[in-house]
Amino acid sequence: MGPGKQQQNPSGWKLIGGLVSACFAVDGQDREWRTVIDAYEAIRNQPSGDCKYVAGRRTLQQLAEFRIAHPKGKVRIRPASGSVQACPPGIKGLRPDRAAPGETVRVHGTWPSEVTIYLGDRPVPLLPDDNYPPCCHNTAVKFEVPQNTPDGPVRITLRTRTITLDAGLLTISRS
C-alpha cells in the first residue's frame, strides 16, 4: 500500500495506526500509548467520516483519554454487549416504487459489502453509478427492470454473503 492511499485520507490512516497501536498497548506494550495519544490528538478535530470512522475515533478517544487520566492504569477490552454495530444495515428507500420494464430503480441504504439485487427470486445486474459506491454506508445501487418482468408487485431484496435486506415492493406496470 503506497503513500497515495494515505494522502487520500490521512485522518483515516492516522486512526487505523492509532487503533493498531492501541491493540499493542492494551496487550502490555506501554510504549505504544504515546502513539495512541498522538493519533487521537491528530484527528480529534477532524470532520466526521462514515459510521466506521466515527466508531473508531470514539474508541481511540476513550482509550487516549483514559490513558491520559490514568497513566499507570490498565485497560481490558471486552466485546460490546448486544451486538453493537458501527453501521447497522438497513434500507432507506426504493425510488420509484412503480416502474415499467426498461426503467431504472434505485435503492438507498447501508449494507456491509457489495450486494446482489433480486426481483422476487431472480437476480438482476447492477448499473454503474458514478454518484455512489456499491457499498457500504449511506449509499445506493440502481438497476434496470428487465423487459420480461410481469406486471404486478414484486419484492426487491438486496443480498450480501451474510444478510438479506428487504427493500419493499416494486409495482411493475406497463401503463
Side-chain angles (χ1 to χ4, degrees), residues 9-63:
N9 185 3
S11 58
W13 285 103
K14 185 62 84 170
L15 172 63
I16 289 170
L19 291 171
V20 168
S21 290
C23 292
F24 290 119
V26 167
D27 196 37
Q29 296 181 29
D30 285 346
R31 69 183 179 281
E32 294 293 333
W33 283 113
R34 182 76 258 154
T35 304
V36 171
I37 293 166
D38 289 347
Y40 175 64
E41 291 295 326
I43 66 169
R44 76 181 312 165
N45 295 318
Q46 295 298 315
S48 294
D50 67 11
C51 50
K52 292 176 278 191
Y53 178 86
V54 171
R57 187 174 63 189
R58 186 174 45 248
T59 299
L60 191 66
Q61 174 185 1
Q62 291 170 341
L63 290 167

Side-chain angles (χ1 to χ4, degrees), residues 46-135:
Q46 295 298 315
S48 294
D50 67 11
C51 50
K52 292 176 278 191
Y53 178 86
V54 171
R57 187 174 63 189
R58 186 174 45 248
T59 299
L60 191 66
Q61 174 185 1
Q62 291 170 341
L63 290 167
E65 289 178 354
F66 176 84
R67 185 59 178 198
I68 290 167
H70 308 281
K72 300 291 184 195
K74 299 290 180 193
V75 175
R76 191 175 84 204
I77 304 293
R78 292 177 294 172
S81 62
S83 298
V84 174
Q85 293 180 319
C87 305
I91 301 295
K92 289 186 178 179
L94 172 71
R95 298 284 181 268
D97 61 1
R98 180 178 213 84
E103 291 184 345
T104 299
V105 177
R106 187 182 308 264
V107 181
H108 292 267
T110 296
W111 34 87
S113 57
E114 290 192 25
V115 296
T116 301
I117 295 181
Y118 287 81
L119 272 72
D121 60 356
R122 186 171 76 174
V124 294
L126 295 177
L127 295 175
D129 191 338
D130 292 336
N131 296 319
Y132 292 98
C135 168

